[in-house]
Amino acid sequence: MNDETLPRELASGEDIFVADGAGGIEIPIFAVGQDMAVEGLPLSPEQLNWIKAVGFKGAAKQQTLVPGPDGGIAAVLLGLGGGTCGEPSGTSELLLGLLPQSLPSGSYQLSLPAQDPTLAAIAWGLGSYRYGRYKTKCGGPRCVSLRLPEGADRSLVLGTIEAVRLGRDLINTPASDLAPADIEAAARELALRHGAQIDVTVGDDLLAQNFPMIHAVGRASPRAPRLIDMRWGREGARTVTLVGKGITFDTGGLDIKPPSGMLLMKKDMGGAATVLTLAHMIMSQKLDVRLRVLIPTAENSISGDAFRPSDVLNSRAGITVEVGNTDAEGRLVLADAIALADEEAPQSLYVFATLTGAARSALGPDLPAMFTNDDVFAADMMSASVAIGDPVWRLPLWAGYDAKLESSVADMNNVWDTPMAGSITAALFLKRFSTKAQRFAHFDIYGWRPSAGPLGPRGGEPQAARALYAMLAREACQ
């Protein structure tokens, strides 16, 4: 199986790196900044004249193929710019991700040492991704591979690439081929690979096991809703719980979305894809944590059995919720899962969801909103996320808005009846269901790259997974 099909097995990143012991010519790649003299490169006078003739000046993202005396490619030049590298992170290694889709078939190697060889290799791998499951004409095979840079952590590189491919494949798959049962199948494959325990509660059993809001959201669909519960790691290790929203398609329910609002709703399970991405990274690198992954997954469909505006729902936590809007269903399914997680009082509880348009209005598609009760974690997370090209930005869990969720007929409403502060009130809604976790953090992600960039094409993106892994790996060493 490969990254062009629904991931029942993880797509390996081995194919994009030169195999150990492989012979043949490897074309050098020179990363050149605007302040770097190309005359210092090991190239002939004729080749240096060529570089000047084509106007290569080391601008960020600029690429030039340098010909050899036989007419073949002798070298590749990649411009890094004047220090910012054209990227928010300012990390030059990230620009290496531009090359796999633009270079001709062949084997390549970095000929100048990377400051962070592991990040450089990850960038190459993320930039290599394409989703082609439904393409009947692929334009013929291409084989572009890189010699793993000296000093790179091979295990981390391959584990990261596999994990992100998994997340992207899941998000990119349309709802016709990705139902709650398919999310379960992907989770079971991951559990089997890593020896994790997995339990799944399906359909009306959700009512018997006290997950009434997950059931309410999913009951209108013929595809049964479910709660996926996966555990891994040794007893006694630091407890880390991940909760991911798995709405495989969101019509908006009876508060139906307009057609334009449904175009990308296959990605409404982006939170589930992100926690599976992060879980694979944690388990493949064998971090010493006690990991729990909870995925409430359902379709928010319309039928005679659909939940309605003004309905009052019970929740696992015993809190009653008035439905102010059926299109705010993600926080309902998450609330039952968060309440279950909180019963164990985990040391860290992280929630991922494509939750609000308000977060996109505030920060745009590339910068997920982060809400947390831990100031030190927030500062460290923002710094770590920018350094690896997976940025997040903190927004406040502003207690002053908590009262806006009050209801006259139930304990709370699932929305505030104004368009203001929508991402904050959604985060406050979730936080009400976590009272025992020591660290709570919620990531309101877009789950989608609207245009191609150095780290991947347009399409699904498990945002903040790499950033949080970096934080967890750092904490595991403390």
Side-chain angles (χ1 to χ4, degrees):
M1 201 142 196
N2 56 42
D3 61 344
E4 296 182 353
T5 57
L6 185 65
R8 291 291 185 264
E9 298 175 4
L10 296 184
S12 172
E14 295 278 3
D15 58 320
I16 56 176
F17 294 104
V18 177
D20 289 340
I25 298 174
E26 294 171 6
I27 301 168
I29 298 172
F30 297 105
V32 180
Q34 285 181 327
D35 56 352
M36 179 178 175
V38 295
E39 288 77 12
L41 299 177
L43 301 172
S44 70
E46 292 80 8
Q47 289 169 330
L48 293 173
N49 287 336
W50 166 268
I51 293 170
K52 293 177 182 178
V54 299
F56 181 84
K57 299 183 182 298
K61 304 183 182 181
Q62 188 178 13
Q63 300 174 41
T64 293
L65 302 180
V66 180
D70 60 353
I73 302 172
V76 177
L77 302 186
L78 173 63
L80 302 181
T84 66
C85 307
E87 291 298 301
S89 69
T91 304
S92 60
E93 283 82 355
L94 298 178
L95 292 183
L96 193 65
L98 290 168
L99 296 180
Q101 299 298 333
S102 62
L103 292 178
S105 294
S107 299
Y108 297 84
Q109 64 173 330
L110 284 177
S111 290
L112 294 175
Q115 194 170 25
D116 187 338
T118 297
L119 184 59
I122 289 173
W124 176 274
L126 299 184
S128 298
Y129 175 86
R130 283 295 182 270
Y131 183 72
R133 180 180 181 186
Y134 301 97
K135 292 286 189 181
T136 58
K137 296 180 180 179
C138 297
R142 292 178 69 250
C143 182
V144 179
S145 59
L146 179 75
R147 171 70 61 184
L148 196 71
E150 184 176 353
D153 183 334
R154 185 180 187 87
S155 174
L156 179 57
V157 168
L158 295 179
T160 300
I161 294 168
E162 288 176 355
V164 174
R165 283 184 175 183
L166 167 66
R168 289 174 175 176
D169 281 354
L170 286 168
I171 298 171
N172 286 329
T173 302
S176 56
D177 289 322
L178 191 74
D182 299 294
I183 299 279
E184 176 187 338
R188 286 191 181 278
E189 177 60 36
L190 202 63
L192 180 64
R193 174 166 178 169
H194 294 292
Q197 173 191 341
I198 188 165
D199 296 295
V200 181
T201 306
V202 181
D204 289 345
D205 286 346
L206 291 165
L207 293 176
Q209 298 299 320
N210 194 23
F211 301 108
M213 293 205 293
I214 301 174
H215 183 272
V217 170
R219 73 190 185 205
S221 172
R223 297 165 153 186
R226 61 204 67 210
L227 176 68
I228 300 164
D229 187 349
M230 182 166 62
R231 296 175 183 267
W232 174 90
R234 69 177 179 88
E235 296 284 354
R238 183 168 51 96
T239 50
V240 172
T241 299
L242 311 177
V243 180
K245 173 186 169 185
I247 301 297
T248 55
F249 194 82
D250 182 17
T251 65
L254 291 174
D255 288 312
I256 192 169
K257 295 177 182 287
S260 61
M262 287 194 219
L263 283 176
L264 280 179
M265 282 302 97
K266 69 176 184 179
K267 75 171 183 66
D268 213 22
M269 38 61 64
T274 300
V275 298
L276 290 176
T277 295
L278 180 54
H280 174 55
M281 295 176 68
I282 290 170
M283 293 187 291
S284 68
Q285 301 310 301
K286 297 179 173 54
L287 289 192
D288 187 21
V289 298
R290 179 63 175 168
L291 176 66
R292 190 179 193 186
V293 179
L294 294 169
I295 299 174
T297 177
E299 269 193 341
N300 188 18
S301 297
I302 299 173
S303 76
D305 198 27
F307 74 117
R308 296 163 289 266
S310 78
D311 280 358
V312 175
L313 305 179
N314 291 315
S315 71
R316 182 177 183 85
I319 300 170
T320 56
V321 179
E322 180 184 8
V323 179
N325 193 307
T326 63
D327 196 19
E329 85 298 331
R331 64 198 69 183
L332 299 176
V333 300
L334 288 169
D336 273 353
I338 291 170
L340 173 64
D342 202 61
E343 290 167 10
E344 292 187 339
Q347 289 168 287
S348 298
L349 173 57
Y350 304 104
V351 182
F352 292 83
T354 51
L355 205 61
T356 69
R360 309 290 72 76
S361 296
L363 299 175
D366 301 332
L367 194 57
M370 173 181 63
F371 301 85
T372 182
N373 60 354
D374 188 328
D375 294 339
V376 174
F377 167 77
D380 290 345
M381 180 70 180
M382 287 177 63
S383 176
S385 72
V386 169
I388 61 173
D390 192 21
V392 300
W393 197 263
R394 189 185 192 185
L395 292 182
L397 278 167
W398 184 251
Y401 291 152
D402 191 65
K404 305 299 183 182
L405 293 169
E406 295 305 315
S407 163
S408 61
V409 299
D411 294 331
M412 64 187 303
N413 203 299
N414 73 329
V415 294
W416 181 18
D417 60 1
T418 80
M420 295 183 286
S423 61
I424 297 174
T425 52
L428 289 168
F429 180 96
L430 299 181
K431 184 64 180 68
R432 285 201 184 187
F433 294 85
S434 174
T435 60
K436 300 176 184 176
Q438 295 176 29
R439 174 191 294 164
F440 173 87
H442 158 54
F443 298 89
D444 191 335
I445 67 173
Y446 190 48
W448 191 262
R449 191 186 304 275
S451 58
L455 298 183
R458 180 181 183 273
E461 186 63 32
Q463 291 173 307
R466 292 191 300 114
L468 184 51
Y469 172 79
M471 283 296 300
L472 294 176
R474 179 187 302 177
E475 291 178 350
C477 295
Q478 294 175 350

